[in-house]
Each structure stands twice: as structure tokens, then as C-alpha cells.
Amino acid sequence: MGSNQDHHTKLGEFFATSICGNDILSSVLYVSGIAAVFTGVFAPVVLLLVVGVLYLYKAVYTEAVEALPVNGGAYNCLLNASSKMFASVAGVMTILSYIATAVISAKVAIEYLHSIVSVPVIPATIVLLLVFALLVISGMKDSAKVASGIFIFHLITLATFIVFGILYFLNNGIGEFMANYSETLSTITENGGLLPTLFFGFSASLLGVSGFESSANFVEDQKKGVFRKTLRNMLVGVAIFNPLIGLLVLNTLPMETIVISKDFLLADAALSLGGDMLKMLIVTDAFLVLSGAVLTAFVGVSGLMYRMAADNCLPGLFTKVNKKGANPRIVIFFFVLCSSILVLTGGDLLSLAGVYTISFLGVMTLFAFGNLLLKRSRPRLARTYRAPVIYAVLAGSATAAGIVGNIMIDMNNLIFFLTYFIPTLLVVFFYIYQEYSLNFLLSVTRRFKKINEYLYRRFDDAIDGNYLIFVKSAKKLFYALDYLNKNEIGRNLYVVVCQKDLSDKNYQEVKDMLEMIEKSGLYEQYVIKLIHRQADFDPETVAEISHELEIPANRILIGSIKEHHTFSYDELGGVRIIF
């Protein structure tokens, strides 16, 4: 995964859409039932509001991810717009969201299968998780081929369901819908009015946007220009299928049946529309597409955790990449984590549902906030698209309101989320601030020479790690040093000034500034070496110095890539923008 993959593994529009499309379009299997339970016949209206939120996020994601096309989604956006600590919060939320996605999707897929074939649910769920773990380890292309087959079958199944629903309407009219309308009106009165009903229905139905964030977490595996097409395709799919299928279900089943069978609503609706054959088709499709959502979780978390490990937010062992471009250690760790949580909860999805809802809505909200930060802190960063500020504000407000609504619906959602979130965040913070722990261990083991030497050898890169800073002028130097002091623990710094025109005074000004810093004792913890390169600042120069000093791209810090530059950010290989 990540930037270590060869060019031939890049995914085109169809394969990339299939991976994330299976995740977001699997929502049609349950979101119609959720919306109908809360809002009755107004479910299609609520589902259209959710489509509106996705439309706003399409613009937000397009701006940020195309400006910074590196795996990591909200984590990467916030890392380049704010601080590592703030970015790590988004990273942890995204990891939790993927854990919940994988376990819930796998469990529900087996539950659907169990309705027609008797299988032991928990063991079968673990086997399903293992199958997709092995598939992702085998390489991105193989994963994408499986995902595309599932995606095509899912689209055909949904189209078939819609055809039967329309035929039912032509033969039977809207009698069932009108009966449900009368019942909805009485329910709204009991719930305190239309607005509260729509609010809670909207909050619960935001489950239908889960998966939209997935494409940003494997953007490095997509061909140039594909990312925004995946967002468009997901938006179109949700806009067509979710409201329409919700409307057809409301015209097929009475409200009491919808409430009872909300978890497997389309299967029961299919039985009424087309008999056992259509129900069998829906059940088979549900198993396959939910399995596809498991695949998306493995692919997405691989890209994210690789980036976080490379940034010293997670153990460095997760940066190991195999010949297929996959991250086997991440995949195995994620599989073990998902399986253990499944066993520990006994398959009870209530706690995971709480983690799932707040996690992915939190990720979306943080991404909108990150977009606003990027506009403010990196205004001159080159962009292929600029989302209107009001879009980011409205999008973030909508998902933030969804978090509040879901907590109001069930306080356990927040409790279960915090149960998983806090320990995971503490682990990440330990790695971010591991310098303090390592220095403490080195001090207490000073009398034990062998242990002390082992610790230093084992963690020498974390303690004395090299960083490379490209600066154009002296005034940016203090900002870069302050950023490093707050966010990184490496102490060996190389400051590079690219100056093709020798008459330019920038190099001398930076040199004078470094001498002044050294004399003052400010930033005395750093060993700073100044490099003067008579060349233009461009991808070739960055790659050349990176190779010479053996410093990876994620430890190279630069200013914003501006409109006048002849190259784009992604050509620099994943360096970090800090000013």
C-alpha cells in the first residue's frame, strides 16, 4: 500500500469505485429501514437530505484530497493543516470506524447467509474476515477484481428490486403508502412534531454516508483524476438507490412489518414483490456486498495505518510492504483485532454500532474542519478545485448534528465509543510523545550499560531521527523549527536552501539566522546542518537530496506548492506541508 507501490498497481475509475462503492451502497440494505422506523413515509425526504450532505462533502473532499493526494483521509488533511496531535485524533476515529465496519459488515453478512443456510455465526464471521485479509495481502489488483464482481452483482440486484417495485406500484397503486401515511401522522404527533421526528430520522440515517470517506484512504492507489470520479459515482449511486428503494418499500409493506423486519427489510420486501426467488437474490447480494464492505475496511485501514506508522504515530513495524504492494503486518494485526473484538463482545453489535456511528461521523466532521483549516493556514497551496466555505461549514454542521442526534437517541452510543476511543488514542499519543518515555528509560538504565546501549540502538531513529526542511527565506525558519519542536522528536535537522541564482541573498540570510539561533541557545536540542543546493526546488531536487541523506519523504517538510509551480504535490512523493 501507499507510496511504495509500483505504478502498474494504480486503479482506474471502475475498480476504485467498486472498492468504496460496495461500502457506501451496502447502506441501502439497512438505511431505508432505519429511516422508515424514525420518520415513516417521510423516509425518502430524510434520505434525500443525506444525499445533500454527501453533495457538500463531495466538494470538501475534492479540494483537500486533490491538493494533498496522500493516503490518510482526514488524518492527512489535518496533518498538513494543523498539528500531528490533532491529526492523530482523526486517525484513531478512522481506525475505529474501519474496525466497526469490518466486524459489523462481516457479522451481518453471515446473518443473512444464516437465514438460508445453517452456519455457526461467530466462527463463520472470523473465517470471512480471514478470507478478505488474505485477499488484501495478495495485492490491490486482486482485491479490486473481487470488489468489481461484487459491485456489478449488487447494482444488478438493486435494479431488479426497483423493477419489481415499480411493477407492484403499477398493479396495486399507492394504497399501502397512504395507509402508512396515516400511521406516520399519528406517530409524528406522539413524537412532538415533524421537526424532531425529521431530526432524529436524519441523524440515524447518516449511516447511509458511511463509506464515502474510504476513497481518500487509498487515493495513492488510484490513477490521477480518478479520486473525484469515485466521489461522483458514490454520490450518484446513493442519490438514485436509497430514496427510491425507501419509497418502494413504503408502498409494499405496512409500517408494523417494516419496524419488525428493519434489519433485513429488503429481504422481506423482496418476498412480497417477487416471491422466494427475489428474496434469495437479495439475501445472496446482501452477503456479497457486505463482504465487499469488509474488503473496503481492510484496504482503507492499510493505507491509513501505513501513513500513521511512517509518521511515528504507530509502531514502525507497520511500514513493512510485501512484493505485491500490500502491508501484511497491518492486515494481520487488523484481522486479529477484529476477531478478538467479535469474540469478546459475543457478536453483540450494539456496542460496535455506537463506535461505528460516532467514529465515522466524527471523521467526516473533522475532515470538514480540516478543509477550513487548510483554507486558512495554507491559502496559497495549489488546488485543482476550491470548495465554497459555506459548503464546508454546512457539511461539518450536518454531521456534527448527526453525532448529537445519535447520542440523544441512545447515550450508550457515546459510552461504547469512548470505551474504544480513549485506550486507542493513548497508544497513539505514546508514540507521538515517545521521546519522553525513551529518555526516562535511558536515564534509569544508565548504570546498566548493556540495557542502555540496546535501548539506544533499538530506538536511535526515534531519538536522533533525521528531518529535512526546505526553506526559501529566513522568516520561515523559526516557524519550521517551532513546528518540529511541537510535533516531532527527531533531533538531527538538515535545512536546505535551493538557490539557482547565486546573487540571491536568501541563503546568506538563512545562514545568518541559524548562527544567531546557535548563539542564543534557542532550540539547542537540535543539531542543525545547512545545505546550499544550486538548483531549482522541484521533485528531482527533493528526491536527490532525500536519497543522499537517506531521509524518507514523510520526514521532509516544505512550504505550500503554489499555482506558479510547474509540478504538483503528489510528484514530491508524500512530503509534509507545514507553512
PDB file of all heavy atoms in Angstrom, residues 2-3 68-73 75-77 79-80 220 301-314 318-319 327 330 553-554 569 574-577:
ATOM      1  N   GLY A   2       0.209   2.389  -0.230  1.00  0.00           N
ATOM      2  CA  GLY A   2       0.863   3.662  -0.064  1.00  0.00           C
ATOM      3  C   GLY A   2       1.829   3.958  -1.185  1.00  0.00           C
ATOM      4  O   GLY A   2       1.774   3.412  -2.272  1.00  0.00           O
ATOM      5  N   SER A   3       2.686   4.848  -0.925  1.00  0.00           N
ATOM      6  CA  SER A   3       3.595   5.321  -1.921  1.00  0.00           C
ATOM      7  C   SER A   3       4.619   4.310  -2.331  1.00  0.00           C
ATOM      8  O   SER A   3       5.349   4.479  -3.267  1.00  0.00           O
ATOM      9  CB  SER A   3       4.283   6.588  -1.398  1.00  0.00           C
ATOM     10  OG  SER A   3       4.958   6.341  -0.235  1.00  0.00           O
ATOM     11  N   LEU A  68      -3.765  17.464  -1.645  1.00  0.00           N
ATOM     12  CA  LEU A  68      -2.822  16.641  -0.865  1.00  0.00           C
ATOM     13  C   LEU A  68      -3.140  15.164  -1.107  1.00  0.00           C
ATOM     14  O   LEU A  68      -3.683  14.482  -0.240  1.00  0.00           O
ATOM     15  CB  LEU A  68      -2.958  16.967   0.623  1.00  0.00           C
ATOM     16  CG  LEU A  68      -2.737  18.430   1.025  1.00  0.00           C
ATOM     17  CD1 LEU A  68      -3.230  18.668   2.442  1.00  0.00           C
ATOM     18  CD2 LEU A  68      -1.258  18.796   0.899  1.00  0.00           C
ATOM     19  N   PRO A  69      -2.841  14.643  -2.297  1.00  0.00           N
ATOM     20  CA  PRO A  69      -3.252  13.285  -2.670  1.00  0.00           C
ATOM     21  C   PRO A  69      -2.389  12.185  -2.052  1.00  0.00           C
ATOM     22  O   PRO A  69      -1.662  11.469  -2.737  1.00  0.00           O
ATOM     23  CB  PRO A  69      -3.136  13.294  -4.197  1.00  0.00           C
ATOM     24  CG  PRO A  69      -2.042  14.276  -4.478  1.00  0.00           C
ATOM     25  CD  PRO A  69      -2.144  15.326  -3.412  1.00  0.00           C
ATOM     26  N   VAL A  70      -2.455  12.078  -0.728  1.00  0.00           N
ATOM     27  CA  VAL A  70      -1.709  11.065   0.008  1.00  0.00           C
ATOM     28  C   VAL A  70      -2.694  10.292   0.870  1.00  0.00           C
ATOM     29  O   VAL A  70      -3.655  10.858   1.400  1.00  0.00           O
ATOM     30  CB  VAL A  70      -0.626  11.717   0.902  1.00  0.00           C
ATOM     31  CG1 VAL A  70       0.118  10.674   1.705  1.00  0.00           C
ATOM     32  CG2 VAL A  70       0.365  12.514   0.046  1.00  0.00           C
ATOM     33  N   ASN A  71      -2.473   8.981   1.019  1.00  0.00           N
ATOM     34  CA  ASN A  71      -3.359   8.157   1.842  1.00  0.00           C
ATOM     35  C   ASN A  71      -3.494   8.737   3.244  1.00  0.00           C
ATOM     36  O   ASN A  71      -2.549   9.293   3.791  1.00  0.00           O
ATOM     37  CB  ASN A  71      -2.817   6.729   1.954  1.00  0.00           C
ATOM     38  CG  ASN A  71      -2.921   5.961   0.649  1.00  0.00           C
ATOM     39  OD1 ASN A  71      -3.585   6.388  -0.294  1.00  0.00           O
ATOM     40  ND2 ASN A  71      -2.275   4.812   0.589  1.00  0.00           N
ATOM     41  N   GLY A  72      -4.664   8.558   3.819  1.00  0.00           N
ATOM     42  CA  GLY A  72      -4.854   9.018   5.193  1.00  0.00           C
ATOM     43  C   GLY A  72      -6.131   9.793   5.410  1.00  0.00           C
ATOM     44  O   GLY A  72      -6.567   9.967   6.535  1.00  0.00           O
ATOM     45  N   GLY A  73      -6.762  10.293   4.356  1.00  0.00           N
ATOM     46  CA  GLY A  73      -8.041  10.973   4.503  1.00  0.00           C
ATOM     47  C   GLY A  73      -7.979  12.159   5.447  1.00  0.00           C
ATOM     48  O   GLY A  73      -7.163  13.072   5.297  1.00  0.00           O
ATOM     49  N   TYR A  75      -6.933  12.301   8.465  1.00  0.00           N
ATOM     50  CA  TYR A  75      -5.640  12.357   9.158  1.00  0.00           C
ATOM     51  C   TYR A  75      -4.634  13.164   8.342  1.00  0.00           C
ATOM     52  O   TYR A  75      -3.967  14.063   8.856  1.00  0.00           O
ATOM     53  CB  TYR A  75      -5.114  10.944   9.404  1.00  0.00           C
ATOM     54  CG  TYR A  75      -3.653  10.901   9.798  1.00  0.00           C
ATOM     55  CD1 TYR A  75      -3.267  11.178  11.101  1.00  0.00           C
ATOM     56  CD2 TYR A  75      -2.670  10.605   8.862  1.00  0.00           C
ATOM     57  CE1 TYR A  75      -1.925  11.172  11.466  1.00  0.00           C
ATOM     58  CE2 TYR A  75      -1.337  10.590   9.208  1.00  0.00           C
ATOM     59  CZ  TYR A  75      -0.962  10.868  10.518  1.00  0.00           C
ATOM     60  OH  TYR A  75       0.369  10.861  10.854  1.00  0.00           O
ATOM     61  N   ASN A  76      -4.526  12.868   7.060  1.00  0.00           N
ATOM     62  CA  ASN A  76      -3.568  13.562   6.206  1.00  0.00           C
ATOM     63  C   ASN A  76      -3.928  15.026   6.040  1.00  0.00           C
ATOM     64  O   ASN A  76      -3.056  15.902   6.061  1.00  0.00           O
ATOM     65  CB  ASN A  76      -3.497  12.882   4.833  1.00  0.00           C
ATOM     66  CG  ASN A  76      -2.496  13.556   3.921  1.00  0.00           C
ATOM     67  OD1 ASN A  76      -1.321  13.669   4.237  1.00  0.00           O
ATOM     68  ND2 ASN A  76      -2.972  14.035   2.784  1.00  0.00           N
ATOM     69  N   CYS A  77      -5.212  15.315   5.900  1.00  0.00           N
ATOM     70  CA  CYS A  77      -5.666  16.695   5.748  1.00  0.00           C
ATOM     71  C   CYS A  77      -5.281  17.523   6.968  1.00  0.00           C
ATOM     72  O   CYS A  77      -4.706  18.618   6.856  1.00  0.00           O
ATOM     73  CB  CYS A  77      -7.180  16.726   5.539  1.00  0.00           C
ATOM     74  SG  CYS A  77      -7.893  18.385   5.421  1.00  0.00           S
ATOM     75  N   LEU A  79      -3.025  16.748   9.267  1.00  0.00           N
ATOM     76  CA  LEU A  79      -1.576  16.728   9.477  1.00  0.00           C
ATOM     77  C   LEU A  79      -0.914  17.875   8.721  1.00  0.00           C
ATOM     78  O   LEU A  79       0.027  18.495   9.218  1.00  0.00           O
ATOM     79  CB  LEU A  79      -0.988  15.392   9.010  1.00  0.00           C
ATOM     80  CG  LEU A  79       0.508  15.187   9.241  1.00  0.00           C
ATOM     81  CD1 LEU A  79       0.815  15.119  10.729  1.00  0.00           C
ATOM     82  CD2 LEU A  79       0.987  13.915   8.534  1.00  0.00           C
ATOM     83  N   ASN A  80      -1.417  18.162   7.525  1.00  0.00           N
ATOM     84  CA  ASN A  80      -0.836  19.220   6.709  1.00  0.00           C
ATOM     85  C   ASN A  80      -1.436  20.593   7.001  1.00  0.00           C
ATOM     86  O   ASN A  80      -0.905  21.610   6.544  1.00  0.00           O
ATOM     87  CB  ASN A  80      -1.003  18.906   5.218  1.00  0.00           C
ATOM     88  CG  ASN A  80      -0.046  17.835   4.739  1.00  0.00           C
ATOM     89  OD1 ASN A  80       1.117  18.122   4.449  1.00  0.00           O
ATOM     90  ND2 ASN A  80      -0.505  16.597   4.682  1.00  0.00           N
ATOM     91  N   GLU A 220      -3.632   7.094  -3.089  1.00  0.00           N
ATOM     92  CA  GLU A 220      -2.345   6.842  -3.738  1.00  0.00           C
ATOM     93  C   GLU A 220      -2.399   5.641  -4.669  1.00  0.00           C
ATOM     94  O   GLU A 220      -1.552   5.497  -5.551  1.00  0.00           O
ATOM     95  CB  GLU A 220      -1.257   6.613  -2.690  1.00  0.00           C
ATOM     96  CG  GLU A 220      -0.878   7.853  -1.900  1.00  0.00           C
ATOM     97  CD  GLU A 220       0.202   7.552  -0.888  1.00  0.00           C
ATOM     98  OE1 GLU A 220       1.254   7.003  -1.280  1.00  0.00           O
ATOM     99  OE2 GLU A 220       0.014   7.860   0.299  1.00  0.00           O
ATOM    100  N   VAL A 301      -7.917   0.785   5.866  1.00  0.00           N
ATOM    101  CA  VAL A 301      -7.109   0.844   7.085  1.00  0.00           C
ATOM    102  C   VAL A 301      -5.632   0.590   6.780  1.00  0.00           C
ATOM    103  O   VAL A 301      -4.751   1.105   7.476  1.00  0.00           O
ATOM    104  CB  VAL A 301      -7.640  -0.154   8.144  1.00  0.00           C
ATOM    105  CG1 VAL A 301      -7.103  -1.568   7.907  1.00  0.00           C
ATOM    106  CG2 VAL A 301      -7.294   0.313   9.550  1.00  0.00           C
ATOM    107  N   SER A 302      -5.351  -0.163   5.731  1.00  0.00           N
ATOM    108  CA  SER A 302      -3.950  -0.398   5.351  1.00  0.00           C
ATOM    109  C   SER A 302      -3.276   0.904   4.941  1.00  0.00           C
ATOM    110  O   SER A 302      -2.160   1.211   5.390  1.00  0.00           O
ATOM    111  CB  SER A 302      -3.869  -1.414   4.205  1.00  0.00           C
ATOM    112  OG  SER A 302      -4.316  -2.686   4.611  1.00  0.00           O
ATOM    113  N   GLY A 303      -3.948   1.675   4.088  1.00  0.00           N
ATOM    114  CA  GLY A 303      -3.385   2.951   3.653  1.00  0.00           C
ATOM    115  C   GLY A 303      -3.218   3.929   4.801  1.00  0.00           C
ATOM    116  O   GLY A 303      -2.205   4.630   4.908  1.00  0.00           O
ATOM    117  N   LEU A 304      -4.206   3.983   5.682  1.00  0.00           N
ATOM    118  CA  LEU A 304      -4.164   4.913   6.811  1.00  0.00           C
ATOM    119  C   LEU A 304      -3.083   4.546   7.827  1.00  0.00           C
ATOM    120  O   LEU A 304      -2.270   5.392   8.221  1.00  0.00           O
ATOM    121  CB  LEU A 304      -5.527   4.950   7.505  1.00  0.00           C
ATOM    122  CG  LEU A 304      -5.590   5.731   8.817  1.00  0.00           C
ATOM    123  CD1 LEU A 304      -5.291   7.209   8.573  1.00  0.00           C
ATOM    124  CD2 LEU A 304      -6.949   5.561   9.482  1.00  0.00           C
ATOM    125  N   MET A 305      -3.065   3.275   8.260  1.00  0.00           N
ATOM    126  CA  MET A 305      -2.104   2.873   9.292  1.00  0.00           C
ATOM    127  C   MET A 305      -0.667   2.908   8.779  1.00  0.00           C
ATOM    128  O   MET A 305       0.269   3.175   9.548  1.00  0.00           O
ATOM    129  CB  MET A 305      -2.463   1.485   9.828  1.00  0.00           C
ATOM    130  CG  MET A 305      -3.726   1.472  10.666  1.00  0.00           C
ATOM    131  SD  MET A 305      -4.117  -0.152  11.382  1.00  0.00           S
ATOM    132  CE  MET A 305      -2.735  -0.374  12.515  1.00  0.00           C
ATOM    133  N   TYR A 306      -0.465   2.642   7.501  1.00  0.00           N
ATOM    134  CA  TYR A 306       0.873   2.774   6.926  1.00  0.00           C
ATOM    135  C   TYR A 306       1.365   4.214   7.065  1.00  0.00           C
ATOM    136  O   TYR A 306       2.495   4.465   7.488  1.00  0.00           O
ATOM    137  CB  TYR A 306       0.876   2.369   5.450  1.00  0.00           C
ATOM    138  CG  TYR A 306       2.216   2.589   4.777  1.00  0.00           C
ATOM    139  CD1 TYR A 306       3.202   1.618   4.812  1.00  0.00           C
ATOM    140  CD2 TYR A 306       2.503   3.800   4.147  1.00  0.00           C
ATOM    141  CE1 TYR A 306       4.436   1.827   4.221  1.00  0.00           C
ATOM    142  CE2 TYR A 306       3.728   4.024   3.558  1.00  0.00           C
ATOM    143  CZ  TYR A 306       4.701   3.033   3.595  1.00  0.00           C
ATOM    144  OH  TYR A 306       5.928   3.265   3.021  1.00  0.00           O
ATOM    145  N   ARG A 307       0.502   5.155   6.702  1.00  0.00           N
ATOM    146  CA  ARG A 307       0.886   6.565   6.785  1.00  0.00           C
ATOM    147  C   ARG A 307       1.135   6.973   8.233  1.00  0.00           C
ATOM    148  O   ARG A 307       2.101   7.691   8.535  1.00  0.00           O
ATOM    149  CB  ARG A 307      -0.206   7.436   6.176  1.00  0.00           C
ATOM    150  CG  ARG A 307       0.103   8.935   6.196  1.00  0.00           C
ATOM    151  CD  ARG A 307       1.291   9.251   5.308  1.00  0.00           C
ATOM    152  NE  ARG A 307       1.883  10.542   5.632  1.00  0.00           N
ATOM    153  CZ  ARG A 307       1.492  11.701   5.117  1.00  0.00           C
ATOM    154  NH1 ARG A 307       0.494  11.724   4.252  1.00  0.00           N
ATOM    155  NH2 ARG A 307       2.095  12.822   5.439  1.00  0.00           N
ATOM    156  N   MET A 308       0.294   6.550   9.157  1.00  0.00           N
ATOM    157  CA  MET A 308       0.465   6.915  10.569  1.00  0.00           C
ATOM    158  C   MET A 308       1.737   6.295  11.159  1.00  0.00           C
ATOM    159  O   MET A 308       2.431   6.929  11.954  1.00  0.00           O
ATOM    160  CB  MET A 308      -0.767   6.496  11.374  1.00  0.00           C
ATOM    161  CG  MET A 308      -2.016   7.298  11.045  1.00  0.00           C
ATOM    162  SD  MET A 308      -3.460   6.829  12.036  1.00  0.00           S
ATOM    163  CE  MET A 308      -2.970   7.447  13.662  1.00  0.00           C
ATOM    164  N   ALA A 309       2.048   5.071  10.743  1.00  0.00           N
ATOM    165  CA  ALA A 309       3.272   4.430  11.221  1.00  0.00           C
ATOM    166  C   ALA A 309       4.503   5.148  10.676  1.00  0.00           C
ATOM    167  O   ALA A 309       5.497   5.341  11.387  1.00  0.00           O
ATOM    168  CB  ALA A 309       3.286   2.963  10.815  1.00  0.00           C
ATOM    169  N   ALA A 310       4.440   5.556   9.423  1.00  0.00           N
ATOM    170  CA  ALA A 310       5.561   6.285   8.821  1.00  0.00           C
ATOM    171  C   ALA A 310       5.774   7.634   9.505  1.00  0.00           C
ATOM    172  O   ALA A 310       6.887   8.162   9.523  1.00  0.00           O
ATOM    173  CB  ALA A 310       5.307   6.493   7.333  1.00  0.00           C
ATOM    174  N   ASP A 311       4.715   8.178  10.084  1.00  0.00           N
ATOM    175  CA  ASP A 311       4.790   9.460  10.784  1.00  0.00           C
ATOM    176  C   ASP A 311       5.039   9.303  12.283  1.00  0.00           C
ATOM    177  O   ASP A 311       4.860  10.243  13.053  1.00  0.00           O
ATOM    178  CB  ASP A 311       3.498  10.255  10.577  1.00  0.00           C
ATOM    179  CG  ASP A 311       3.342  10.749   9.151  1.00  0.00           C
ATOM    180  OD1 ASP A 311       4.368  10.960   8.487  1.00  0.00           O
ATOM    181  OD2 ASP A 311       2.193  10.928   8.712  1.00  0.00           O
ATOM    182  N   ASN A 312       5.402   8.082  12.713  1.00  0.00           N
ATOM    183  CA  ASN A 312       5.690   7.799  14.133  1.00  0.00           C
ATOM    184  C   ASN A 312       4.469   7.985  15.033  1.00  0.00           C
ATOM    185  O   ASN A 312       4.600   8.330  16.208  1.00  0.00           O
ATOM    186  CB  ASN A 312       6.846   8.676  14.652  1.00  0.00           C
ATOM    187  CG  ASN A 312       8.181   8.265  14.093  1.00  0.00           C
ATOM    188  OD1 ASN A 312       8.431   7.087  13.868  1.00  0.00           O
ATOM    189  ND2 ASN A 312       9.047   9.237  13.846  1.00  0.00           N
ATOM    190  N   CYS A 313       3.283   7.742  14.488  1.00  0.00           N
ATOM    191  CA  CYS A 313       2.074   7.738  15.309  1.00  0.00           C
ATOM    192  C   CYS A 313       1.702   6.309  15.704  1.00  0.00           C
ATOM    193  O   CYS A 313       0.884   6.104  16.608  1.00  0.00           O
ATOM    194  CB  CYS A 313       0.896   8.358  14.548  1.00  0.00           C
ATOM    195  SG  CYS A 313       1.066  10.123  14.276  1.00  0.00           S
ATOM    196  N   LEU A 314       2.279   5.335  15.027  1.00  0.00           N
ATOM    197  CA  LEU A 314       2.075   3.918  15.298  1.00  0.00           C
ATOM    198  C   LEU A 314       3.426   3.216  15.168  1.00  0.00           C
ATOM    199  O   LEU A 314       4.371   3.797  14.596  1.00  0.00           O
ATOM    200  CB  LEU A 314       1.059   3.318  14.309  1.00  0.00           C
ATOM    201  CG  LEU A 314      -0.406   3.744  14.470  1.00  0.00           C
ATOM    202  CD1 LEU A 314      -1.239   3.231  13.305  1.00  0.00           C
ATOM    203  CD2 LEU A 314      -0.985   3.262  15.790  1.00  0.00           C
ATOM    204  N   PHE A 318       4.755  -1.461  11.142  1.00  0.00           N
ATOM    205  CA  PHE A 318       3.618  -1.453  10.221  1.00  0.00           C
ATOM    206  C   PHE A 318       3.969  -0.882   8.845  1.00  0.00           C
ATOM    207  O   PHE A 318       3.116  -0.848   7.960  1.00  0.00           O
ATOM    208  CB  PHE A 318       2.449  -0.661  10.810  1.00  0.00           C
ATOM    209  CG  PHE A 318       1.744  -1.358  11.945  1.00  0.00           C
ATOM    210  CD1 PHE A 318       1.318  -0.654  13.053  1.00  0.00           C
ATOM    211  CD2 PHE A 318       1.510  -2.720  11.897  1.00  0.00           C
ATOM    212  CE1 PHE A 318       0.668  -1.285  14.107  1.00  0.00           C
ATOM    213  CE2 PHE A 318       0.859  -3.369  12.931  1.00  0.00           C
ATOM    214  CZ  PHE A 318       0.443  -2.656  14.038  1.00  0.00           C
ATOM    215  N   THR A 319       5.196  -0.411   8.672  1.00  0.00           N
ATOM    216  CA  THR A 319       5.578   0.144   7.369  1.00  0.00           C
ATOM    217  C   THR A 319       6.120  -0.924   6.411  1.00  0.00           C
ATOM    218  O   THR A 319       6.467  -0.621   5.282  1.00  0.00           O
ATOM    219  CB  THR A 319       6.645   1.241   7.538  1.00  0.00           C
ATOM    220  OG1 THR A 319       7.784   0.695   8.220  1.00  0.00           O
ATOM    221  CG2 THR A 319       6.095   2.415   8.336  1.00  0.00           C
ATOM    222  N   ASN A 327       0.414  -4.380   2.859  1.00  0.00           N
ATOM    223  CA  ASN A 327       1.007  -4.266   4.192  1.00  0.00           C
ATOM    224  C   ASN A 327       0.560  -5.443   5.050  1.00  0.00           C
ATOM    225  O   ASN A 327      -0.403  -5.332   5.810  1.00  0.00           O
ATOM    226  CB  ASN A 327       0.584  -2.950   4.852  1.00  0.00           C
ATOM    227  CG  ASN A 327       0.914  -1.743   4.002  1.00  0.00           C
ATOM    228  OD1 ASN A 327       0.083  -1.266   3.244  1.00  0.00           O
ATOM    229  ND2 ASN A 327       2.137  -1.265   4.111  1.00  0.00           N
ATOM    230  N   ILE A 330       0.005  -4.946   8.917  1.00  0.00           N
ATOM    231  CA  ILE A 330      -1.195  -4.175   9.240  1.00  0.00           C
ATOM    232  C   ILE A 330      -2.433  -5.041   9.078  1.00  0.00           C
ATOM    233  O   ILE A 330      -3.321  -5.056   9.940  1.00  0.00           O
ATOM    234  CB  ILE A 330      -1.303  -2.925   8.341  1.00  0.00           C
ATOM    235  CG1 ILE A 330      -0.190  -1.937   8.676  1.00  0.00           C
ATOM    236  CG2 ILE A 330      -2.678  -2.258   8.506  1.00  0.00           C
ATOM    237  CD1 ILE A 330      -0.160  -0.714   7.782  1.00  0.00           C
ATOM    238  N   ALA A 553      10.364  10.509   2.546  1.00  0.00           N
ATOM    239  CA  ALA A 553       9.567  11.671   2.148  1.00  0.00           C
ATOM    240  C   ALA A 553       8.720  12.225   3.284  1.00  0.00           C
ATOM    241  O   ALA A 553       8.520  13.437   3.383  1.00  0.00           O
ATOM    242  CB  ALA A 553       8.671  11.299   0.959  1.00  0.00           C
ATOM    243  N   ASN A 554       8.196  11.341   4.146  1.00  0.00           N
ATOM    244  CA  ASN A 554       7.316  11.833   5.212  1.00  0.00           C
ATOM    245  C   ASN A 554       8.070  12.626   6.280  1.00  0.00           C
ATOM    246  O   ASN A 554       7.458  13.221   7.156  1.00  0.00           O
ATOM    247  CB  ASN A 554       6.558  10.667   5.864  1.00  0.00           C
ATOM    248  CG  ASN A 554       7.472   9.718   6.597  1.00  0.00           C
ATOM    249  OD1 ASN A 554       8.321   9.059   5.999  1.00  0.00           O
ATOM    250  ND2 ASN A 554       7.310   9.642   7.906  1.00  0.00           N
ATOM    251  N   TYR A 569       1.827  18.533  -5.920  1.00  0.00           N
ATOM    252  CA  TYR A 569       2.232  17.989  -4.622  1.00  0.00           C
ATOM    253  C   TYR A 569       2.547  16.498  -4.696  1.00  0.00           C
ATOM    254  O   TYR A 569       3.530  16.032  -4.122  1.00  0.00           O
ATOM    255  CB  TYR A 569       1.122  18.246  -3.598  1.00  0.00           C
ATOM    256  CG  TYR A 569       1.324  17.533  -2.281  1.00  0.00           C
ATOM    257  CD1 TYR A 569       2.184  18.048  -1.323  1.00  0.00           C
ATOM    258  CD2 TYR A 569       0.663  16.343  -2.003  1.00  0.00           C
ATOM    259  CE1 TYR A 569       2.395  17.390  -0.110  1.00  0.00           C
ATOM    260  CE2 TYR A 569       0.855  15.677  -0.798  1.00  0.00           C
ATOM    261  CZ  TYR A 569       1.726  16.207   0.144  1.00  0.00           C
ATOM    262  OH  TYR A 569       1.916  15.546   1.325  1.00  0.00           O
ATOM    263  N   GLY A 574       4.891  12.580  -1.222  1.00  0.00           N
ATOM    264  CA  GLY A 574       4.290  12.495   0.107  1.00  0.00           C
ATOM    265  C   GLY A 574       4.999  13.297   1.178  1.00  0.00           C
ATOM    266  O   GLY A 574       4.924  12.964   2.361  1.00  0.00           O
ATOM    267  N   VAL A 575       5.686  14.373   0.797  1.00  0.00           N
ATOM    268  CA  VAL A 575       6.317  15.250   1.787  1.00  0.00           C
ATOM    269  C   VAL A 575       5.227  15.989   2.569  1.00  0.00           C
ATOM    270  O   VAL A 575       4.066  15.992   2.174  1.00  0.00           O
ATOM    271  CB  VAL A 575       7.266  16.266   1.118  1.00  0.00           C
ATOM    272  CG1 VAL A 575       8.350  15.548   0.340  1.00  0.00           C
ATOM    273  CG2 VAL A 575       6.485  17.208   0.197  1.00  0.00           C
ATOM    274  N   ARG A 576       5.610  16.616   3.681  1.00  0.00           N
ATOM    275  CA  ARG A 576       4.612  17.281   4.524  1.00  0.00           C
ATOM    276  C   ARG A 576       4.691  18.800   4.358  1.00  0.00           C
ATOM    277  O   ARG A 576       5.763  19.388   4.399  1.00  0.00           O
ATOM    278  CB  ARG A 576       4.829  16.922   5.988  1.00  0.00           C
ATOM    279  CG  ARG A 576       3.645  17.309   6.880  1.00  0.00           C
ATOM    280  CD  ARG A 576       3.945  17.070   8.343  1.00  0.00           C
ATOM    281  NE  ARG A 576       4.526  15.760   8.583  1.00  0.00           N
ATOM    282  CZ  ARG A 576       4.974  15.375   9.773  1.00  0.00           C
ATOM    283  NH1 ARG A 576       4.906  16.197  10.811  1.00  0.00           N
ATOM    284  NH2 ARG A 576       5.493  14.175   9.931  1.00  0.00           N
ATOM    285  N   ILE A 577       3.533  19.402   4.172  1.00  0.00           N
ATOM    286  CA  ILE A 577       3.445  20.861   4.069  1.00  0.00           C
ATOM    287  C   ILE A 577       3.192  21.433   5.457  1.00  0.00           C
ATOM    288  O   ILE A 577       2.226  21.064   6.122  1.00  0.00           O
ATOM    289  CB  ILE A 577       2.321  21.275   3.101  1.00  0.00           C
ATOM    290  CG1 ILE A 577       2.678  20.837   1.670  1.00  0.00           C
ATOM    291  CG2 ILE A 577       2.079  22.777   3.157  1.00  0.00           C
ATOM    292  CD1 ILE A 577       1.576  21.059   0.675  1.00  0.00           C
TER     293      ILE A 577
END
